[in-house]
Amino acid sequence: MRVAVVGAGGWGEHHARIFSRRPDTELVGVFGRTAARTEARAQQYGTTPYTDLDEMLRDARPELITVCLPNEDHYDITLRLVRTGVPLLVEKPLVFDLTEADTLLDEAGGNFFAINFNHRYAEPVQRAKALIDAGELGELVFATWRFGGEANRGGSPHAGLIETQCHGFDMLEHLAGAITAVSAHMTDKTYGAFSTVALALDFENRAVGTMLGTYDSSYAYPDTQRIEINGTEGRLVIHDTVRALTFSKAGDPVEQRWHSTYFDDEARNFAGTFDRHVDALLDALRAGEQPPVHARAGRRALQLAHAAIESHETGRKVTTG
């Protein structure tokens, strides 16, 4: 399969790495806006550099296009690519504006349009999802996502919530079901953006939840990302996405723990979650199916972020449909 990568930045390198090394794909081009960087990336992965998008589409003839651009610059190029009808995989966030998200989805219609919510493919997350689906936790009563790290500053005062915590919203719904209401507290006390948030959540299944975190923190801290799901029959905790999963049954003081072992250390590699997603994505594309994580999930995460912003601005609980 002929694959072209749009974006020559940091995470875009993982796109180039994956599709240049797979035996079932050929990396036929890298598009970037800076000629020197694009040429260096293309040379690194043995493909052709392009700074003209139309030229790449015409000459490289990709059968799949992946998009990894700066967080607040997704819309214009994504819209151009959606209109080509070529199957598309985009990085999060989908966009920052709900109207733009709706336009992209309307233009895409039934075409293959995926978003890379790669956290779903972490081994602890997949094992946690299996435990929940098997009823091992009983009735879910609360779900919490706690996060920290250094800020990735952007133009929007809500950049952290929209462009990074889209993963948080997606993961909470993936594991605990639909979120029906959000109440928010936020502060911009450090550098002028709302980098620290505390959200209270209602779920459709009548569980409650929280999202608590700050980008006035550090990724160096242990458990800088922690997911905890409690049910009437058990509790699970996901540590740092890929590091470990712990599971306890109610009343049992013995804790079960998954961690990657000597021969499966790839499962501890965060970038490897993207490789796993690509496996599932290409299987679906070749089978003529819709993607395993449709771009609609990106629109949903954006809707939840905007509900949180509205709650903070109005001081009211906001329903999320």
Short mmCIF file of all heavy atoms in Angstrom, two decimals, residues 15-16 18 24 31 48 77 82 108 150 152 159 163 165 185 193 210 212 270 279 281 285 307:
data_model
loop_
_atom_site.label_atom_id
_atom_site.label_comp_id
_atom_site.label_asym_id
_atom_site.label_seq_id
_atom_site.Cartn_x
_atom_site.Cartn_y
_atom_site.Cartn_z
N HIS A 15 5.20 8.47 12.11
CA HIS A 15 4.45 8.10 10.91
C HIS A 15 5.41 7.60 9.83
O HIS A 15 5.19 6.55 9.22
CB HIS A 15 3.67 9.31 10.38
CG HIS A 15 2.52 9.72 11.23
ND1 HIS A 15 1.23 9.78 10.76
CD2 HIS A 15 2.46 10.12 12.53
CE1 HIS A 15 0.42 10.19 11.72
NE2 HIS A 15 1.15 10.42 12.80
N ALA A 16 6.46 8.36 9.59
CA ALA A 16 7.43 7.96 8.57
C ALA A 16 8.11 6.64 8.95
O ALA A 16 8.32 5.77 8.10
CB ALA A 16 8.48 9.06 8.37
N ILE A 18 7.02 4.14 10.80
CA ILE A 18 6.15 2.97 10.69
C ILE A 18 5.98 2.55 9.24
O ILE A 18 6.18 1.38 8.87
CB ILE A 18 4.79 3.26 11.34
CG1 ILE A 18 4.93 3.33 12.86
CG2 ILE A 18 3.76 2.20 10.95
CD1 ILE A 18 3.69 3.85 13.56
N ASP A 24 4.41 -4.39 4.23
CA ASP A 24 3.19 -4.30 3.43
C ASP A 24 2.84 -2.87 3.03
O ASP A 24 1.76 -2.61 2.50
CB ASP A 24 2.01 -4.93 4.17
CG ASP A 24 1.75 -4.29 5.53
OD1 ASP A 24 2.60 -3.51 6.00
OD2 ASP A 24 0.69 -4.60 6.13
N PHE A 31 5.36 15.26 3.02
CA PHE A 31 5.09 16.66 2.77
C PHE A 31 5.38 17.47 4.01
O PHE A 31 4.99 17.10 5.13
CB PHE A 31 3.62 16.87 2.37
CG PHE A 31 3.19 18.31 2.40
CD1 PHE A 31 3.43 19.14 1.31
CD2 PHE A 31 2.57 18.85 3.52
CE1 PHE A 31 3.04 20.47 1.34
CE2 PHE A 31 2.18 20.18 3.56
CZ PHE A 31 2.42 21.00 2.47
N THR A 48 10.56 10.54 -0.99
CA THR A 48 10.64 11.80 -1.72
C THR A 48 10.08 12.94 -0.90
O THR A 48 8.97 12.81 -0.34
CB THR A 48 9.85 11.68 -3.04
OG1 THR A 48 10.34 10.57 -3.79
CG2 THR A 48 9.98 12.96 -3.86
N ILE A 77 -5.58 22.04 5.69
CA ILE A 77 -4.97 20.94 4.93
C ILE A 77 -5.82 19.68 5.05
O ILE A 77 -5.99 18.95 4.06
CB ILE A 77 -3.53 20.70 5.40
CG1 ILE A 77 -2.63 21.82 4.87
CG2 ILE A 77 -3.00 19.34 4.92
CD1 ILE A 77 -1.18 21.69 5.24
N VAL A 82 -9.39 15.60 2.78
CA VAL A 82 -10.68 14.91 2.85
C VAL A 82 -11.37 14.95 1.49
O VAL A 82 -11.97 13.95 1.04
CB VAL A 82 -11.56 15.54 3.94
CG1 VAL A 82 -13.03 15.17 3.74
CG2 VAL A 82 -11.11 15.09 5.32
N ALA A 108 -16.27 14.25 4.42
CA ALA A 108 -15.74 12.88 4.31
C ALA A 108 -16.82 11.88 3.96
O ALA A 108 -16.56 10.88 3.27
CB ALA A 108 -15.06 12.49 5.62
N GLU A 150 4.75 18.66 31.37
CA GLU A 150 5.11 20.02 30.98
C GLU A 150 4.14 20.52 29.91
O GLU A 150 3.62 19.75 29.12
CB GLU A 150 6.54 20.05 30.43
CG GLU A 150 7.62 19.85 31.48
CD GLU A 150 7.87 18.40 31.85
OE1 GLU A 150 7.35 17.50 31.13
OE2 GLU A 150 8.56 18.14 32.85
N ASN A 152 2.56 22.10 26.61
CA ASN A 152 2.78 22.29 25.18
C ASN A 152 1.96 23.53 24.81
O ASN A 152 0.79 23.45 24.48
CB ASN A 152 2.32 21.06 24.40
CG ASN A 152 2.57 21.21 22.92
OD1 ASN A 152 3.33 22.07 22.50
ND2 ASN A 152 1.93 20.37 22.12
N ALA A 159 -5.60 25.16 25.07
CA ALA A 159 -4.85 24.24 24.21
C ALA A 159 -4.63 22.90 24.90
O ALA A 159 -4.81 21.84 24.28
CB ALA A 159 -3.51 24.86 23.81
N GLU A 163 -6.11 19.77 22.91
CA GLU A 163 -5.18 19.02 22.07
C GLU A 163 -4.52 17.83 22.78
O GLU A 163 -4.04 16.94 22.11
CB GLU A 163 -4.11 19.94 21.48
CG GLU A 163 -3.16 20.56 22.47
CD GLU A 163 -1.90 19.75 22.69
OE1 GLU A 163 -1.73 18.70 22.05
OE2 GLU A 163 -1.08 20.19 23.51
N GLN A 165 -5.88 16.55 26.25
CA GLN A 165 -6.88 15.82 27.03
C GLN A 165 -8.02 15.27 26.19
O GLN A 165 -8.94 14.66 26.73
CB GLN A 165 -7.37 16.67 28.19
CG GLN A 165 -6.31 16.86 29.27
CD GLN A 165 -5.52 15.59 29.55
OE1 GLN A 165 -6.11 14.56 29.86
NE2 GLN A 165 -4.20 15.65 29.43
N HIS A 185 -13.82 23.22 36.91
CA HIS A 185 -13.04 24.28 37.54
C HIS A 185 -11.70 24.31 36.83
O HIS A 185 -11.09 23.26 36.60
CB HIS A 185 -12.84 24.01 39.03
CG HIS A 185 -14.10 24.05 39.82
ND1 HIS A 185 -14.58 25.20 40.39
CD2 HIS A 185 -15.00 23.07 40.12
CE1 HIS A 185 -15.71 24.94 41.02
NE2 HIS A 185 -15.99 23.65 40.87
N ALA A 193 -2.71 30.54 30.33
CA ALA A 193 -3.62 29.56 29.74
C ALA A 193 -4.18 28.68 30.85
O ALA A 193 -3.61 28.58 31.94
CB ALA A 193 -2.89 28.70 28.71
N THR A 210 -13.99 11.78 37.36
CA THR A 210 -13.22 13.02 37.47
C THR A 210 -12.11 13.02 36.43
O THR A 210 -11.64 11.97 35.99
CB THR A 210 -12.57 13.18 38.85
OG1 THR A 210 -11.65 12.11 39.08
CG2 THR A 210 -13.60 13.21 39.96
N LEU A 212 -8.57 15.24 36.54
CA LEU A 212 -7.81 16.18 37.35
C LEU A 212 -6.37 16.19 36.86
O LEU A 212 -5.75 15.13 36.74
CB LEU A 212 -7.84 15.77 38.82
CG LEU A 212 -6.94 16.56 39.78
CD1 LEU A 212 -7.41 18.00 39.89
CD2 LEU A 212 -6.92 15.89 41.15
N PHE A 270 5.71 3.56 24.44
CA PHE A 270 4.52 4.33 24.12
C PHE A 270 4.33 4.47 22.62
O PHE A 270 3.22 4.37 22.10
CB PHE A 270 4.58 5.72 24.78
CG PHE A 270 3.38 6.57 24.46
CD1 PHE A 270 2.16 6.34 25.07
CD2 PHE A 270 3.47 7.59 23.52
CE1 PHE A 270 1.06 7.11 24.76
CE2 PHE A 270 2.37 8.38 23.20
CZ PHE A 270 1.16 8.14 23.83
N ASP A 279 -1.63 -1.48 12.70
CA ASP A 279 -1.98 -2.87 12.36
C ASP A 279 -3.49 -3.00 12.15
O ASP A 279 -3.95 -3.55 11.14
CB ASP A 279 -1.54 -3.82 13.47
CG ASP A 279 -0.05 -4.06 13.51
OD1 ASP A 279 0.63 -3.81 12.49
OD2 ASP A 279 0.44 -4.53 14.55
N LEU A 281 -5.73 -0.60 11.77
CA LEU A 281 -6.22 0.31 10.75
C LEU A 281 -6.04 -0.26 9.35
O LEU A 281 -6.97 -0.22 8.53
CB LEU A 281 -5.50 1.65 10.90
CG LEU A 281 -5.88 2.76 9.92
CD1 LEU A 281 -5.93 4.10 10.63
CD2 LEU A 281 -4.89 2.84 8.76
N LEU A 285 -8.86 -1.18 6.54
CA LEU A 285 -8.84 -0.54 5.22
C LEU A 285 -8.83 -1.58 4.11
O LEU A 285 -9.58 -1.47 3.13
CB LEU A 285 -7.62 0.38 5.12
CG LEU A 285 -7.45 1.17 3.82
CD1 LEU A 285 -8.68 1.99 3.49
CD2 LEU A 285 -6.21 2.07 3.92
N ALA A 307 -17.75 21.49 26.26
CA ALA A 307 -18.69 21.46 27.38
C ALA A 307 -18.00 21.86 28.68
O ALA A 307 -18.57 22.60 29.51
CB ALA A 307 -19.32 20.08 27.51
#
